[in-house]
Amino acid sequence: MPVINVEELTDKDKALMEVNQLKNEVKLERWLTSKCCEEVKEYIQAREEEDILVKGIPEEKNPFKEKGGCVIC
């Protein structure tokens, strides 16, 4: 897909691009926000046990765990 410098386009070309974009957006199926939020909530809750941000990293699998302490004699 070629890169278009919008500053070099005429007003007519800009308007045509906007009309084409709006035609594409009109074709999209729209959903109620409340329905989408419920689906996202169910998805998250169904995978909560596997979520590392909720459950945390087990000590034996933590790659950032310090291997050993530093001792100064």
Side-chain angles (χ1 to χ4, degrees):
M1 190 169 202
V3 176
I4 298 172
N5 188 355
V6 179
E7 295 172 357
E8 296 176 359
L9 295 176
T10 64
D11 288 342
K12 181 180 177 183
D13 290 334
K14 291 177 188 177
L16 183 61
M17 284 179 65
E18 186 172 354
V19 167
N20 288 334
Q21 178 63 32
L22 291 172
K23 285 181 181 179
N24 288 334
E25 290 178 18
V26 153
K27 297 175 189 174
L28 296 175
E29 181 181 352
R30 298 182 185 267
W31 299 334
L32 293 175
T33 304
S34 57
K35 182 182 176 195
C36 293
C37 290
E38 281 299 316
E39 289 180 8
V40 169
K41 183 178 171 184
E42 289 170 7
Y43 178 85
I44 291 170
Q45 288 175 339
R47 289 154 182 79
E48 189 173 25
E49 287 297 317
E50 305 162 7
D51 194 338
I52 218 165
L53 295 174
V54 174
K55 192 175 177 182
I57 301 173
E59 287 295 319
E60 62 273 0
K61 293 184 179 181
N62 187 351
F64 302 107
K65 180 181 174 184
E66 289 190 29
K67 305 291 185 233
C70 181
V71 178
I72 301 175
C73 297

Coordinates of all heavy atoms in Angstrom, one line a residue:
M1 N 0.8 -1.2 0.0 CA 0.0 0.0 0.0 C 0.9 1.2 0.0 O 1.7 1.4 0.9 CB -0.9 0.0 1.2 CG -2.0 1.0 1.3 SD -3.1 0.5 2.6 CE -4.5 1.4 2.1
P2 N 0.7 2.1 -1.0 CA 1.6 3.3 -1.0 C 1.3 4.3 0.1 O 0.2 4.4 0.6 CB 1.2 3.9 -2.4 CG -0.1 3.4 -2.7 CD -0.3 2.1 -2.0
V3 N 2.4 5.0 0.4 CA 2.2 6.1 1.4 C 1.7 7.3 0.7 O 2.2 7.7 -0.3 CB 3.6 6.3 2.1 CG1 3.5 7.5 3.1 CG2 4.1 5.1 2.8
I4 N 0.7 8.0 1.3 CA 0.2 9.2 0.7 C 0.5 10.4 1.6 O 0.2 10.3 2.8 CB -1.4 9.0 0.6 CG1 -1.7 7.9 -0.3 CG2 -2.0 10.3 0.1 CD1 -3.2 7.5 -0.4
N5 N 1.0 11.4 1.0 CA 1.3 12.6 1.8 C 0.0 13.5 1.7 O -0.3 14.0 0.6 CB 2.5 13.4 1.2 CG 2.9 14.6 2.0 OD1 2.2 14.9 3.0 ND2 4.0 15.2 1.7
V6 N -0.7 13.6 2.7 CA -2.0 14.3 2.7 C -1.8 15.8 2.4 O -2.7 16.4 1.8 CB -2.7 14.1 4.1 CG1 -4.0 14.8 4.2 CG2 -2.9 12.6 4.4
E7 N -0.7 16.3 2.8 CA -0.5 17.8 2.5 C -0.5 18.1 1.0 O -0.8 19.2 0.6 CB 0.8 18.2 3.2 CG 0.7 18.1 4.7 CD 2.1 18.4 5.3 OE1 3.1 18.6 4.6 OE2 2.1 18.4 6.6
E8 N -0.1 17.1 0.2 CA 0.0 17.3 -1.2 C -1.3 17.1 -2.0 O -1.4 17.3 -3.2 CB 1.1 16.4 -1.8 CG 2.5 16.7 -1.3 CD 3.5 15.7 -1.8 OE1 3.1 14.8 -2.6 OE2 4.7 15.9 -1.5
L9 N -2.3 16.6 -1.3 CA -3.6 16.3 -1.9 C -4.5 17.5 -2.0 O -4.4 18.4 -1.2 CB -4.4 15.2 -1.1 CG -3.8 13.8 -1.0 CD1 -4.6 13.0 -0.1 CD2 -3.7 13.2 -2.4
T10 N -5.3 17.5 -3.1 CA -6.3 18.6 -3.2 C -7.4 18.4 -2.2 O -7.6 17.3 -1.7 CB -6.8 18.7 -4.6 OG1 -7.5 17.5 -4.9 CG2 -5.7 18.8 -5.7
D11 N -8.2 19.5 -2.0 CA -9.4 19.3 -1.2 C -10.3 18.3 -1.7 O -11.0 17.6 -0.9 CB -10.1 20.7 -1.1 CG -9.3 21.7 -0.2 OD1 -8.4 21.3 0.6 OD2 -9.6 22.9 -0.3
K12 N -10.4 18.2 -3.0 CA -11.3 17.2 -3.6 C -10.8 15.8 -3.3 O -11.6 14.9 -2.9 CB -11.4 17.4 -5.1 CG -12.3 16.5 -5.8 CD -12.4 16.7 -7.3 CE -13.2 15.7 -8.0 NZ -13.3 15.9 -9.5
D13 N -9.5 15.6 -3.4 CA -9.0 14.2 -3.1 C -9.2 13.9 -1.6 O -9.5 12.7 -1.3 CB -7.5 14.2 -3.4 CG -7.2 14.2 -4.9 OD1 -8.1 13.8 -5.7 OD2 -6.2 14.7 -5.3
K14 N -9.0 14.9 -0.7 CA -9.2 14.6 0.7 C -10.6 14.3 1.0 O -10.9 13.4 1.7 CB -8.8 15.9 1.5 CG -7.3 16.1 1.5 CD -7.0 17.4 2.3 CE -5.6 17.8 2.2 NZ -5.3 19.1 2.8
A15 N -11.6 15.0 0.3 CA -13.0 14.7 0.6 C -13.3 13.3 0.0 O -14.1 12.6 0.7 CB -13.8 15.8 -0.1
L16 N -12.8 13.0 -1.1 CA -13.0 11.6 -1.7 C -12.5 10.5 -0.8 O -13.2 9.5 -0.5 CB -12.4 11.5 -3.1 CG -12.6 10.2 -3.8 CD1 -14.1 10.0 -4.1 CD2 -11.8 10.2 -5.1
M17 N -11.3 10.7 -0.2 CA -10.8 9.8 0.8 C -11.7 9.6 2.0 O -11.9 8.5 2.5 CB -9.4 10.2 1.2 CG -8.3 9.9 0.2 SD -6.7 10.4 0.7 CE -6.4 9.3 2.0
E18 N -12.2 10.8 2.5 CA -13.1 10.7 3.6 C -14.4 10.0 3.3 O -14.9 9.2 4.2 CB -13.3 12.2 4.1 CG -14.1 12.2 5.4 CD -14.2 13.6 6.0 OE1 -13.6 14.5 5.5 OE2 -14.9 13.7 7.0
V19 N -14.9 10.3 2.2 CA -16.2 9.6 1.8 C -16.0 8.1 1.7 O -16.8 7.3 2.2 CB -16.7 10.2 0.4 CG1 -17.8 9.3 -0.1 CG2 -17.2 11.6 0.6
N20 N -14.9 7.7 1.1 CA -14.6 6.2 1.0 C -14.4 5.6 2.4 O -14.9 4.5 2.6 CB -13.3 6.0 0.1 CG -13.6 6.3 -1.3 OD1 -14.7 6.2 -1.8 ND2 -12.5 6.7 -2.1
Q21 N -13.7 6.3 3.3 CA -13.6 5.8 4.6 C -14.9 5.7 5.3 O -15.2 4.7 6.0 CB -12.6 6.7 5.4 CG -12.4 6.3 6.9 CD -11.8 5.0 7.0 OE1 -10.9 4.6 6.2 NE2 -12.1 4.2 8.0
L22 N -15.8 6.7 5.2 CA -17.1 6.6 5.8 C -17.9 5.5 5.2 O -18.7 4.8 5.9 CB -17.8 7.9 5.6 CG -17.2 9.1 6.4 CD1 -17.9 10.4 6.1 CD2 -17.3 8.8 7.9
K23 N -17.8 5.2 3.9 CA -18.5 4.1 3.3 C -18.0 2.8 3.9 O -18.8 1.9 4.1 CB -18.3 4.1 1.8 CG -19.0 5.1 1.0 CD -18.8 5.0 -0.5 CE -19.5 6.1 -1.3 NZ -19.2 6.0 -2.7
N24 N -16.7 2.6 4.1 CA -16.2 1.4 4.8 C -16.7 1.3 6.2 O -17.1 0.2 6.6 CB -14.7 1.4 4.8 CG -14.1 1.2 3.4 OD1 -14.7 0.6 2.5 ND2 -12.9 1.7 3.2
E25 N -16.8 2.4 6.9 CA -17.2 2.3 8.3 C -18.7 2.0 8.5 O -19.1 1.3 9.4 CB -16.9 3.7 9.0 CG -15.4 3.9 9.2 CD -15.1 5.2 9.9 OE1 -16.0 5.8 10.5 OE2 -14.0 5.6 9.8
V26 N -19.5 2.4 7.5 CA -20.9 2.1 7.5 C -21.2 0.6 7.4 O -22.2 0.1 8.0 CB -21.6 2.9 6.4 CG1 -22.9 2.2 5.9 CG2 -21.9 4.3 6.8
K27 N -20.3 -0.1 6.7 CA -20.5 -1.5 6.6 C -20.2 -2.3 7.8 O -20.6 -3.5 7.9 CB -19.6 -2.0 5.4 CG -19.9 -1.5 4.1 CD -18.9 -1.9 3.1 CE -19.0 -1.2 1.8 NZ -17.9 -1.5 0.8
L28 N -19.5 -1.7 8.8 CA -19.1 -2.4 10.0 C -20.3 -2.7 10.9 O -21.2 -1.9 11.0 CB -18.1 -1.6 10.8 CG -16.8 -1.4 10.2 CD1 -15.9 -0.5 11.1 CD2 -16.1 -2.7 9.9
E29 N -20.4 -3.9 11.5 CA -21.4 -4.3 12.4 C -21.2 -3.6 13.7 O -20.1 -3.6 14.2 CB -21.4 -5.8 12.6 CG -22.5 -6.3 13.5 CD -22.5 -7.8 13.7 OE1 -21.7 -8.5 13.0 OE2 -23.2 -8.3 14.6
R30 N -22.2 -3.0 14.3 CA -22.0 -2.3 15.5 C -22.7 -3.0 16.7 O -23.7 -3.7 16.5 CB -22.6 -0.9 15.4 CG -21.9 -0.1 14.4 CD -22.4 1.4 14.3 NE -21.8 2.1 13.2 CZ -20.7 2.8 13.3 NH1 -20.1 2.9 14.5 NH2 -20.2 3.4 12.3
W31 N -22.1 -3.0 17.9 CA -22.6 -3.7 19.0 C -22.8 -2.7 20.1 O -22.1 -1.7 20.2 CB -21.7 -4.8 19.5 CG -21.4 -5.8 18.5 CD1 -22.2 -6.3 17.5 CD2 -20.2 -6.6 18.5 NE1 -21.6 -7.3 16.8 CE2 -20.4 -7.5 17.4 CE3 -19.1 -6.7 19.2 CZ2 -19.4 -8.5 17.0 CZ3 -18.1 -7.6 18.9 CH2 -18.3 -8.5 17.8
L32 N -23.8 -3.0 21.0 CA -24.0 -2.2 22.2 C -22.7 -2.3 23.1 O -22.2 -3.4 23.3 CB -25.2 -2.6 23.0 CG -26.5 -2.4 22.2 CD1 -27.7 -3.0 23.1 CD2 -26.8 -0.9 22.0
T33 N -22.4 -1.2 23.7 CA -21.2 -1.2 24.6 C -21.5 -2.1 25.8 O -20.6 -2.8 26.2 CB -20.9 0.2 25.1 OG1 -20.7 1.1 24.0 CG2 -19.7 0.3 26.0
S34 N -22.7 -2.1 26.3 CA -23.0 -3.0 27.5 C -22.8 -4.4 27.1 O -22.3 -5.2 28.0 CB -24.4 -2.7 27.9 OG -25.3 -2.9 26.9
K35 N -23.2 -4.8 25.9 CA -23.0 -6.2 25.5 C -21.5 -6.6 25.4 O -21.0 -7.6 25.8 CB -23.7 -6.5 24.2 CG -23.6 -7.9 23.7 CD -24.2 -8.1 22.4 CE -24.0 -9.6 21.9 NZ -24.3 -9.8 20.5
C36 N -20.7 -5.7 24.8 CA -19.3 -5.9 24.6 C -18.6 -6.0 26.0 O -17.7 -6.8 26.2 CB -18.7 -4.7 23.8 SG -19.2 -4.7 22.1
C37 N -19.0 -5.1 26.9 CA -18.4 -5.1 28.2 C -18.6 -6.5 28.9 O -17.7 -7.0 29.6 CB -18.9 -4.0 29.1 SG -18.3 -2.4 28.5
E38 N -19.8 -7.0 28.8 CA -20.2 -8.2 29.4 C -19.3 -9.4 28.8 O -18.8 -10.2 29.5 CB -21.7 -8.6 29.3 CG -22.5 -7.8 30.2 CD -22.2 -8.2 31.7 OE1 -22.0 -9.4 32.0 OE2 -22.2 -7.2 32.5
E39 N -19.2 -9.4 27.5 CA -18.4 -10.4 26.8 C -16.9 -10.3 27.3 O -16.3 -11.4 27.5 CB -18.5 -10.3 25.3 CG -19.9 -10.7 24.8 CD -20.0 -10.6 23.3 OE1 -19.0 -10.4 22.6 OE2 -21.1 -10.8 22.8
V40 N -16.4 -9.1 27.3 CA -15.0 -9.0 27.8 C -14.8 -9.4 29.2 O -13.8 -10.1 29.5 CB -14.5 -7.5 27.6 CG1 -13.2 -7.3 28.3 CG2 -14.4 -7.1 26.1
K41 N -15.8 -9.1 30.1 CA -15.7 -9.5 31.5 C -15.7 -11.0 31.6 O -15.0 -11.6 32.3 CB -16.9 -8.9 32.2 CG -16.9 -9.1 33.7 CD -18.1 -8.4 34.3 CE -18.4 -8.9 35.7 NZ -19.6 -8.3 36.3
E42 N -16.6 -11.7 30.8 CA -16.7 -13.1 30.9 C -15.4 -13.8 30.4 O -15.0 -14.8 30.9 CB -17.9 -13.6 30.0 CG -19.3 -13.3 30.6 CD -20.4 -13.5 29.7 OE1 -20.2 -14.1 28.6 OE2 -21.5 -13.2 30.0
Y43 N -14.9 -13.2 29.3 CA -13.6 -13.7 28.8 C -12.5 -13.7 29.8 O -11.7 -14.6 30.0 CB -13.2 -12.9 27.5 CG -11.9 -13.3 26.9 CD1 -11.9 -14.4 26.0 CD2 -10.7 -12.7 27.2 CE1 -10.7 -14.8 25.4 CE2 -9.5 -13.1 26.6 CZ -9.5 -14.1 25.7 OH -8.3 -14.5 25.1
I44 N -12.4 -12.5 30.5 CA -11.3 -12.3 31.5 C -11.5 -13.3 32.6 O -10.6 -13.9 33.1 CB -11.3 -10.9 31.9 CG1 -10.8 -10.0 30.8 CG2 -10.4 -10.7 33.2 CD1 -11.0 -8.5 31.1
Q45 N -12.8 -13.4 33.1 CA -13.0 -14.3 34.3 C -12.8 -15.7 33.9 O -12.3 -16.5 34.8 CB -14.5 -14.0 34.8 CG -14.6 -12.7 35.5 CD -16.0 -12.4 35.9 OE1 -17.0 -13.0 35.3 NE2 -16.2 -11.5 36.8
A46 N -13.1 -16.1 32.7 CA -12.9 -17.5 32.3 C -11.4 -17.9 32.3 O -11.0 -19.0 32.5 CB -13.5 -17.8 31.0
R47 N -10.5 -16.9 32.1 CA -9.1 -17.2 32.0 C -8.3 -16.6 33.2 O -7.1 -16.5 33.1 CB -8.6 -16.6 30.7 CG -9.0 -17.4 29.5 CD -9.1 -16.5 28.2 NE -9.6 -17.3 27.1 CZ -10.9 -17.5 26.9 NH1 -11.8 -17.1 27.7 NH2 -11.3 -18.2 25.8
E48 N -9.0 -16.3 34.2 CA -8.3 -15.7 35.4 C -7.3 -16.6 36.0 O -6.2 -16.1 36.5 CB -9.4 -15.4 36.4 CG -9.0 -14.5 37.6 CD -10.1 -14.1 38.4 OE1 -11.2 -14.8 38.5 OE2 -10.0 -13.1 39.1
E49 N -7.5 -17.9 36.1 CA -6.6 -18.8 36.7 C -5.2 -18.9 35.9 O -4.2 -19.1 36.5 CB -7.2 -20.2 36.7 CG -8.3 -20.3 37.8 CD -7.7 -20.1 39.2 OE1 -6.7 -20.6 39.5 OE2 -8.4 -19.4 40.0
E50 N -5.3 -18.6 34.6 CA -4.1 -18.7 33.8 C -3.4 -17.4 33.7 O -2.2 -17.3 33.2 CB -4.5 -19.2 32.4 CG -5.2 -20.4 32.3 CD -6.0 -20.6 31.0 OE1 -5.7 -19.8 30.1 OE2 -6.8 -21.5 30.9
D51 N -4.0 -16.3 34.1 CA -3.4 -15.0 34.0 C -2.3 -14.7 34.9 O -2.5 -14.7 36.2 CB -4.6 -13.9 34.2 CG -4.1 -12.5 33.7 OD1 -2.9 -12.3 33.6 OD2 -5.0 -11.7 33.5
I52 N -1.1 -14.5 34.4 CA 0.1 -14.3 35.2 C 0.0 -13.0 36.0 O 0.6 -12.8 37.0 CB 1.3 -14.4 34.3 CG1 2.4 -15.1 35.0 CG2 1.8 -13.0 33.8 CD1 3.5 -15.5 34.1
L53 N -0.7 -12.0 35.5 CA -0.8 -10.7 36.2 C -1.7 -10.8 37.4 O -1.5 -10.1 38.4 CB -1.4 -9.6 35.2 CG -0.5 -9.3 34.0 CD1 -1.2 -8.3 33.1 CD2 0.8 -8.7 34.5
V54 N -2.7 -11.7 37.4 CA -3.6 -11.9 38.5 C -2.9 -12.9 39.5 O -2.9 -12.7 40.7 CB -5.0 -12.4 38.1 CG1 -5.8 -12.8 39.2 CG2 -5.6 -11.4 37.2
K55 N -2.5 -14.0 39.0 CA -2.0 -15.1 39.8 C -0.5 -14.9 40.3 O -0.1 -15.4 41.3 CB -2.1 -16.4 39.0 CG -1.9 -17.7 39.8 CD -2.1 -18.9 38.9 CE -1.9 -20.1 39.6 NZ -2.1 -21.3 38.8
G56 N 0.3 -14.3 39.4 CA 1.7 -14.1 39.8 C 2.5 -15.2 39.1 O 2.0 -16.2 38.6
I57 N 3.8 -15.1 39.2 CA 4.8 -16.0 38.6 C 5.2 -17.0 39.7 O 5.6 -16.5 40.8 CB 6.0 -15.3 38.0 CG1 5.6 -14.3 36.9 CG2 7.0 -16.3 37.4 CD1 6.7 -13.5 36.4
P58 N 5.1 -18.3 39.5 CA 5.6 -19.3 40.5 C 7.1 -19.1 40.7 O 7.8 -18.8 39.7 CB 5.3 -20.6 39.8 CG 4.3 -20.4 38.7 CD 4.5 -19.0 38.3
E59 N 7.5 -19.2 41.9 CA 9.0 -18.9 42.2 C 9.9 -19.8 41.4 O 10.9 -19.3 40.9 CB 9.2 -19.2 43.7 CG 8.7 -18.2 44.6 CD 9.3 -16.8 44.4 OE1 10.6 -16.8 44.3 OE2 8.6 -15.8 44.4
E60 N 9.5 -21.1 41.1 CA 10.4 -22.0 40.4 C 10.5 -21.6 38.9 O 11.4 -22.0 38.2 CB 10.0 -23.4 40.5 CG 8.6 -23.8 40.0 CD 7.5 -23.6 41.0 OE1 7.8 -23.1 42.2 OE2 6.4 -23.8 40.7
K61 N 9.5 -20.8 38.4 CA 9.5 -20.5 36.9 C 9.9 -19.0 36.7 O 9.9 -18.6 35.6 CB 8.2 -20.8 36.3 CG 7.8 -22.2 36.3 CD 6.5 -22.4 35.6 CE 6.1 -23.9 35.5 NZ 4.9 -24.1 34.8
N62 N 10.2 -18.3 37.8 CA 10.4 -16.8 37.7 C 11.9 -16.6 37.1 O 12.8 -16.9 37.8 CB 10.3 -16.2 39.0 CG 10.4 -14.7 38.9 OD1 10.8 -14.1 37.9 ND2 10.1 -14.0 40.0
P63 N 12.0 -16.1 35.9 CA 13.3 -15.9 35.3 C 14.0 -14.7 35.9 O 15.2 -14.5 35.7 CB 13.0 -15.6 33.8 CG 11.6 -15.1 33.8 CD 10.9 -15.7 34.9
F64 N 13.3 -13.9 36.7 CA 13.9 -12.7 37.3 C 14.3 -12.9 38.7 O 14.8 -12.0 39.4 CB 12.9 -11.5 37.2 CG 12.5 -11.2 35.7 CD1 11.3 -11.5 35.3 CD2 13.4 -10.6 34.9 CE1 10.9 -11.3 34.0 CE2 13.1 -10.3 33.5 CZ 11.8 -10.7 33.1
K65 N 14.1 -14.1 39.2 CA 14.4 -14.4 40.6 C 16.0 -14.4 40.7 O 16.7 -14.9 39.9 CB 13.9 -15.8 41.0 CG 14.2 -16.2 42.4 CD 13.6 -17.6 42.6 CE 14.1 -18.1 44.0 NZ 13.6 -19.5 44.2
E66 N 16.5 -13.8 41.8 CA 17.9 -13.8 42.0 C 18.4 -15.2 42.3 O 17.8 -15.9 43.1 CB 18.2 -12.8 43.1 CG 18.0 -11.4 42.8 CD 18.6 -10.4 43.9 OE1 19.6 -10.8 44.5 OE2 18.0 -9.3 44.0
K67 N 19.5 -15.5 41.6 CA 20.0 -16.9 41.7 C 20.7 -17.1 43.0 O 20.7 -18.2 43.6 CB 21.0 -17.1 40.5 CG 20.5 -16.9 39.1 CD 19.4 -18.0 38.8 CE 19.0 -17.8 37.4 NZ 17.6 -17.7 37.1
G68 N 21.4 -16.1 43.5 CA 22.1 -16.2 44.8 C 22.3 -14.8 45.3 O 22.3 -13.8 44.6
G69 N 22.6 -14.8 46.6 CA 22.8 -13.5 47.2 C 24.3 -13.1 47.0 O 25.1 -13.8 46.6
C70 N 24.5 -11.8 47.3 CA 25.8 -11.3 47.2 C 26.4 -11.2 48.6 O 25.8 -10.7 49.5 CB 25.8 -9.9 46.6 SG 27.4 -9.1 46.4
V71 N 27.6 -11.8 48.8 CA 28.2 -11.8 50.1 C 29.5 -11.0 50.0 O 30.4 -11.2 49.1 CB 28.6 -13.3 50.5 CG1 29.3 -13.3 51.8 CG2 27.3 -14.1 50.5
I72 N 29.7 -10.1 51.0 CA 30.9 -9.3 51.1 C 31.7 -9.8 52.3 O 31.1 -9.8 53.4 CB 30.6 -7.8 51.1 CG1 29.8 -7.4 49.9 CG2 31.8 -7.0 51.3 CD1 29.3 -6.0 50.0
C73 N 32.9 -10.2 52.1 CA 33.7 -10.7 53.2 C 34.7 -9.6 53.7 O 35.3 -8.9 53.0 CB 34.5 -11.9 52.8 SG 33.4 -13.3 52.5

